[in-house]
Amino acid sequence: MNTTEQQFLKELDDKLWKAADKLRANLDAANYKHVVLGLIFLKYVSDAFEERQRELRELFQHDSDDNIYHLPREDFDSDNEYQQAMDEELEVLDYYREANVFWVPKEARWNTLKSKVALPTGSVLWQDANGNDVKLRSVSWLIDNALEAIEHSNPKLKGILNSISRFQVEDDKLIGLINSFSNTSFSTPEYQGQKLSLQSKDILGHVYEYFLGQFALAEGKQGGQYYTPKSIVSLIVEMLEPYSGRVYDPAMGSGGFFVSNDKFIEEHAKEWHYDAAEQRKHISVYGQESNPTTWRLAAMNMAIRGLDFNFGKKNADTFLNDQHPDLRADFVMANPPFNMKDWWSESLADDARWKYGTPPKNNANFAWLQHMLYHLRPAGSMALLLSNGSMSSNTNNEGEIRKRLVEEDLVECMVALPGQLFTNTQIPACIWFLTKDKTGGLSPNGVKKRSRKGEVLFIDARQLGYMKDRVIRDFTADDIAKVADTFHAWQRDENYEDVAGYCKSATLAEIQKHDFVLTPGRYVGAAELEDDGVPFADKMALLTEQLREQFNESDRLEAEIKRNLGGLGYEV
């Protein structure tokens, strides 16, 4: 995005967040996120529906040999009859489903909400199928009615959308939120008199993602259950390049990997000469999540972007109730909970997934890793975030599992991450990249790779990134590109070179010498220091003199402080 578009989105974020944050006095973040995200969802599906309606109206009126939608004016006796026929045609559900647009019943459309919320309680809104008057009970009831109507018309969303009424938000606060969203143009955005090229899907998707991040910050530790920092997700997606095939996340949270994957397809369309909309048809999304709230958020997240998805029949524990037992995916990506202790059940003792060793009962790190390997097809690739301990721990069979993974040549790349990337934990993290096939040839996404048998790439990215604020670190686009380009150059034999202190291609024999510890720092070594031409003896003398001067200055300041405090009657 250009600077103008970024400024537009930042101001939009601030404006909408301030409007939403007014609910904080009445509800905590864990609850008011459902109210706000529910309204964002309603706004988006309604905007997408109306956008498709405008497109269809133009198609109905356009006469050409290849336009199957054309509605000839000459087939009708009058303009009124023609307009009536067009209005009826615009309400045909199949026109929307064929374009992967959610069907939005009239009572759930944003214009209906906007026009009805200001009416007095008890006002007649419309008549039901039996001809009975439907009266306004409250604004929250009106919103719930809209959400229920969308669920009823779209089976994929059955049981997904949360009721707003149970949070007992006052009508005037809900009206304020609806007006805030209504006063923002998502379909034809302008900023400082300039029309922007941003699409409504991009804007509302961005707002939804921003709100998820803000709620994660507001909720603290618990927020991390459904939100993985955008830059880490982007890094993994850029490295794996999953733009074709089956994509799976067994700990999907709010679906951040799938969203980033969709953006990846969009951003690389021109570079790789394909149509993004057509390419999306070659992606199948599979996910699983145990937390019912987060499971719903993920489904809403996919719906907002028009992505087809299979998240299983219900929220469920990935280890105990695998919702995709027969899935073999081309790409598997996940950020599972770090060092999860309460995961084991005796029913898992002889599970087929523990091919490389039974994971410790008090730590699920290698359970997640092996679950993902189990669901990876022979030519597939996977990436997962784990705590740094996974690279070196030898307790409770972890060292033996890691040894087996290395000896069977499954580990492709290890990336050490800087600290302070997460909102909910300060545990240092790393990314594991694994594949079952290093022989080379074409990957599932059509990329030609060289043989990497017996090699593992180590990348130490701990020095990359910048402090976004006092507590959170983030990657720049250049940081992400640097790491991804290094990985791809190594995979494809494109002028890859080891860089001291940053990256190293190691053999399995070298890893064995390090007792199968996979910490990148052990392999990349220290960065080479630039020689400034000053002899060591001269440099040491200069530094010693500077240190002496600083000690003298420290003594002088201490004496002055004591004098000043003495003058105020304080004895030091």
PDB file of all heavy atoms in Angstrom, residues 390-403:
ATOM      1  N   SER A 390      12.423 -26.364  22.581  1.00  0.00           N
ATOM      2  CA  SER A 390      12.226 -27.512  21.691  1.00  0.00           C
ATOM      3  C   SER A 390      13.482 -27.829  20.882  1.00  0.00           C
ATOM      4  O   SER A 390      13.660 -28.957  20.418  1.00  0.00           O
ATOM      5  CB  SER A 390      11.058 -27.251  20.742  1.00  0.00           C
ATOM      6  OG  SER A 390      11.346 -26.148  19.881  1.00  0.00           O
ATOM      7  N   MET A 391      14.381 -26.847  20.723  1.00  0.00           N
ATOM      8  CA  MET A 391      15.582 -27.047  19.912  1.00  0.00           C
ATOM      9  C   MET A 391      16.705 -27.740  20.672  1.00  0.00           C
ATOM     10  O   MET A 391      17.659 -28.234  20.062  1.00  0.00           O
ATOM     11  CB  MET A 391      16.088 -25.701  19.381  1.00  0.00           C
ATOM     12  CG  MET A 391      15.111 -24.975  18.485  1.00  0.00           C
ATOM     13  SD  MET A 391      15.831 -23.527  17.691  1.00  0.00           S
ATOM     14  CE  MET A 391      15.981 -22.380  19.080  1.00  0.00           C
ATOM     15  N   SER A 392      16.604 -27.786  21.998  1.00  0.00           N
ATOM     16  CA  SER A 392      17.740 -28.295  22.773  1.00  0.00           C
ATOM     17  C   SER A 392      17.376 -29.219  23.930  1.00  0.00           C
ATOM     18  O   SER A 392      18.235 -29.922  24.452  1.00  0.00           O
ATOM     19  CB  SER A 392      18.554 -27.115  23.329  1.00  0.00           C
ATOM     20  OG  SER A 392      17.733 -26.284  24.142  1.00  0.00           O
ATOM     21  N   SER A 393      16.116 -29.249  24.340  1.00  0.00           N
ATOM     22  CA  SER A 393      15.735 -30.026  25.510  1.00  0.00           C
ATOM     23  C   SER A 393      15.982 -31.521  25.305  1.00  0.00           C
ATOM     24  O   SER A 393      15.716 -32.071  24.230  1.00  0.00           O
ATOM     25  CB  SER A 393      14.254 -29.801  25.823  1.00  0.00           C
ATOM     26  OG  SER A 393      13.823 -30.682  26.830  1.00  0.00           O
ATOM     27  N   ASN A 394      16.485 -32.176  26.346  1.00  0.00           N
ATOM     28  CA  ASN A 394      16.702 -33.621  26.306  1.00  0.00           C
ATOM     29  C   ASN A 394      15.857 -34.359  27.337  1.00  0.00           C
ATOM     30  O   ASN A 394      16.043 -35.559  27.544  1.00  0.00           O
ATOM     31  CB  ASN A 394      18.186 -33.935  26.549  1.00  0.00           C
ATOM     32  CG  ASN A 394      19.039 -33.575  25.349  1.00  0.00           C
ATOM     33  OD1 ASN A 394      18.680 -33.879  24.215  1.00  0.00           O
ATOM     34  ND2 ASN A 394      20.157 -32.910  25.590  1.00  0.00           N
ATOM     35  N   THR A 395      14.946 -33.670  27.982  1.00  0.00           N
ATOM     36  CA  THR A 395      14.142 -34.287  29.036  1.00  0.00           C
ATOM     37  C   THR A 395      12.956 -35.050  28.456  1.00  0.00           C
ATOM     38  O   THR A 395      12.401 -34.673  27.418  1.00  0.00           O
ATOM     39  CB  THR A 395      13.619 -33.220  30.020  1.00  0.00           C
ATOM     40  OG1 THR A 395      12.831 -32.257  29.299  1.00  0.00           O
ATOM     41  CG2 THR A 395      14.775 -32.511  30.701  1.00  0.00           C
ATOM     42  N   ASN A 396      12.575 -36.120  29.151  1.00  0.00           N
ATOM     43  CA  ASN A 396      11.352 -36.871  28.839  1.00  0.00           C
ATOM     44  C   ASN A 396      11.213 -37.246  27.365  1.00  0.00           C
ATOM     45  O   ASN A 396      10.172 -37.033  26.746  1.00  0.00           O
ATOM     46  CB  ASN A 396      10.115 -36.073  29.281  1.00  0.00           C
ATOM     47  CG  ASN A 396      10.093 -35.820  30.761  1.00  0.00           C
ATOM     48  OD1 ASN A 396      10.481 -36.684  31.542  1.00  0.00           O
ATOM     49  ND2 ASN A 396       9.669 -34.635  31.163  1.00  0.00           N
ATOM     50  N   ASN A 397      12.277 -37.728  26.756  1.00  0.00           N
ATOM     51  CA  ASN A 397      12.243 -38.265  25.390  1.00  0.00           C
ATOM     52  C   ASN A 397      12.296 -37.203  24.293  1.00  0.00           C
ATOM     53  O   ASN A 397      12.315 -37.539  23.106  1.00  0.00           O
ATOM     54  CB  ASN A 397      10.995 -39.148  25.186  1.00  0.00           C
ATOM     55  CG  ASN A 397      11.193 -40.215  24.120  1.00  0.00           C
ATOM     56  OD1 ASN A 397      12.283 -40.766  23.997  1.00  0.00           O
ATOM     57  ND2 ASN A 397      10.164 -40.500  23.345  1.00  0.00           N
ATOM     58  N   GLU A 398      12.299 -35.921  24.654  1.00  0.00           N
ATOM     59  CA  GLU A 398      12.317 -34.879  23.619  1.00  0.00           C
ATOM     60  C   GLU A 398      13.602 -34.943  22.790  1.00  0.00           C
ATOM     61  O   GLU A 398      13.567 -34.765  21.567  1.00  0.00           O
ATOM     62  CB  GLU A 398      12.153 -33.500  24.258  1.00  0.00           C
ATOM     63  CG  GLU A 398      10.748 -33.238  24.764  1.00  0.00           C
ATOM     64  CD  GLU A 398      10.546 -31.813  25.250  1.00  0.00           C
ATOM     65  OE1 GLU A 398      11.527 -31.171  25.656  1.00  0.00           O
ATOM     66  OE2 GLU A 398       9.392 -31.349  25.221  1.00  0.00           O
ATOM     67  N   GLY A 399      14.733 -35.171  23.452  1.00  0.00           N
ATOM     68  CA  GLY A 399      15.993 -35.260  22.728  1.00  0.00           C
ATOM     69  C   GLY A 399      16.004 -36.412  21.739  1.00  0.00           C
ATOM     70  O   GLY A 399      16.523 -36.290  20.615  1.00  0.00           O
ATOM     71  N   GLU A 400      15.414 -37.551  22.131  1.00  0.00           N
ATOM     72  CA  GLU A 400      15.376 -38.714  21.246  1.00  0.00           C
ATOM     73  C   GLU A 400      14.477 -38.463  20.041  1.00  0.00           C
ATOM     74  O   GLU A 400      14.777 -38.878  18.924  1.00  0.00           O
ATOM     75  CB  GLU A 400      14.884 -39.944  22.019  1.00  0.00           C
ATOM     76  CG  GLU A 400      15.919 -40.541  22.957  1.00  0.00           C
ATOM     77  CD  GLU A 400      17.190 -40.948  22.222  1.00  0.00           C
ATOM     78  OE1 GLU A 400      17.085 -41.646  21.185  1.00  0.00           O
ATOM     79  OE2 GLU A 400      18.284 -40.573  22.677  1.00  0.00           O
ATOM     80  N   ILE A 401      13.345 -37.803  20.268  1.00  0.00           N
ATOM     81  CA  ILE A 401      12.444 -37.480  19.147  1.00  0.00           C
ATOM     82  C   ILE A 401      13.155 -36.549  18.168  1.00  0.00           C
ATOM     83  O   ILE A 401      13.113 -36.760  16.949  1.00  0.00           O
ATOM     84  CB  ILE A 401      11.137 -36.839  19.660  1.00  0.00           C
ATOM     85  CG1 ILE A 401      10.358 -37.824  20.532  1.00  0.00           C
ATOM     86  CG2 ILE A 401      10.268 -36.381  18.482  1.00  0.00           C
ATOM     87  CD1 ILE A 401       9.136 -37.221  21.214  1.00  0.00           C
ATOM     88  N   ARG A 402      13.803 -35.520  18.711  1.00  0.00           N
ATOM     89  CA  ARG A 402      14.522 -34.567  17.842  1.00  0.00           C
ATOM     90  C   ARG A 402      15.622 -35.295  17.055  1.00  0.00           C
ATOM     91  O   ARG A 402      15.823 -35.027  15.857  1.00  0.00           O
ATOM     92  CB  ARG A 402      15.108 -33.444  18.695  1.00  0.00           C
ATOM     93  CG  ARG A 402      15.669 -32.291  17.862  1.00  0.00           C
ATOM     94  CD  ARG A 402      16.040 -31.097  18.732  1.00  0.00           C
ATOM     95  NE  ARG A 402      16.978 -31.462  19.775  1.00  0.00           N
ATOM     96  CZ  ARG A 402      16.692 -31.526  21.074  1.00  0.00           C
ATOM     97  NH1 ARG A 402      15.481 -31.248  21.493  1.00  0.00           N
ATOM     98  NH2 ARG A 402      17.606 -31.876  21.965  1.00  0.00           N
ATOM     99  N   LYS A 403      16.327 -36.199  17.699  1.00  0.00           N
ATOM    100  CA  LYS A 403      17.375 -36.975  17.026  1.00  0.00           C
ATOM    101  C   LYS A 403      16.797 -37.776  15.868  1.00  0.00           C
ATOM    102  O   LYS A 403      17.363 -37.802  14.762  1.00  0.00           O
ATOM    103  CB  LYS A 403      18.049 -37.904  18.036  1.00  0.00           C
ATOM    104  CG  LYS A 403      19.143 -38.786  17.450  1.00  0.00           C
ATOM    105  CD  LYS A 403      19.716 -39.714  18.517  1.00  0.00           C
ATOM    106  CE  LYS A 403      20.751 -40.648  17.909  1.00  0.00           C
ATOM    107  NZ  LYS A 403      21.286 -41.609  18.916  1.00  0.00           N
TER     108      LYS A 403
END
